[in-house]
Amino acid sequence: MAPIIGTTTTRRALLGAFAATVVAAAPQFPGVTAYARGAGDIRKLNFYSGRTGEKINIIYCIDGEYIPESLAEINHFFRDWRNNKVHTIDARTVDILAAAHNLLRVDEPYMLLSGYRSPETNAMLRARSSGVARNSLHLKGQAADVRLQSRSVSEIARAAVACKAGGVGRYSGSNFVHMDCGVVRTWGR
């Protein structure tokens, strides 16, 4: 499938994706039910890493206000696991991942395959595969590669595309979906 070139990720597009999922999302936050009743926007991230064994299930934004401590935990979780280098993860990417997860209506956490990549790791991966971009958005903390056991690559990619924000790559042969906050486009099968 040829890439679809469009506009960059906008706050309006991301809020639209969350508006479609907020009613379904609110009951998923045990312990904050009373607060969530009046909230129009609660964003949560649910992941595990097969590489490190770590898990993260965290509310990172309430009513449009990002929680700095939560974002710091996300930065650490998305680090380059090969050398433990940490980089700031773009909140737009986190929003796309969370919105797509909400649209899939699953309790299962995403499995994070790749978040931030250091230049050393990206160069090593490029040497092994022609599918790794020289200027990958992983280098900027603006991309993540994920999978779900209960959903196909196509289902995950459709949910990400429905967010109308950023790039979505389908890697069916390797069973993962790439999501980023760059230019709106799609690729793969």
Side-chain angles (χ1 to χ4, degrees), residues 47-55 77 81 110-113:
F47 269 88
Y48 77 94
S49 171
R51 310 281 191 198
T52 66
E54 296 169 326
K55 296 177 182 178
F77 184 84
W81 60 270
Y110 280 125
M111 178 181 191
L112 178 67
L113 302 174

Side-chain angles (χ1 to χ4, degrees), residues 5-134:
I5 306 299
T7 60
T8 58
T9 305
T10 65
R11 180 171 166 79
R12 182 179 302 263
L14 291 173
L15 290 175
F18 274 101
T21 63
V22 75
V23 173
Q28 298 175 6
F29 303 106
V32 296
T33 310
Y35 183 83
R37 265 188 235 130
D41 178 22
I42 297 176
R43 302 179 203 171
K44 176 182 173 184
L45 198 67
N46 190 4
F47 269 88
Y48 77 94
S49 171
R51 310 281 191 198
T52 66
E54 296 169 326
K55 296 177 182 178
I56 189 169
N57 189 357
I58 193 167
I59 293 172
Y60 69 90
C61 184
I62 299 174
D63 287 334
E65 295 293 325
Y66 291 97
I67 303 166
E69 298 83 4
S70 296
L71 294 178
E73 286 187 49
I74 291 167
N75 293 340
H76 179 75
F77 184 84
F78 276 65
R79 73 191 179 280
D80 185 332
W81 60 270
R82 289 175 177 88
N83 56 24
N84 280 323
K85 289 188 177 178
V86 176
H87 190 279
T88 300
I89 303 302
D90 194 308
R92 296 173 300 169
T93 298
V94 177
D95 285 341
I96 293 165
L97 289 160
H101 196 261
N102 285 343
L103 289 171
L104 289 163
R105 296 180 185 214
V106 294
D107 290 328
E108 174 191 355
Y110 280 125
M111 178 181 191
L112 178 67
L113 302 174
S114 184
Y116 167 67
R117 280 191 212 141
S118 67
E120 302 82 16
T121 293
N122 203 65
M124 179 267 299
L125 293 173
R126 273 185 53 74
R128 292 182 182 176
S129 170
S130 62
V132 177
R134 178 183 315 274

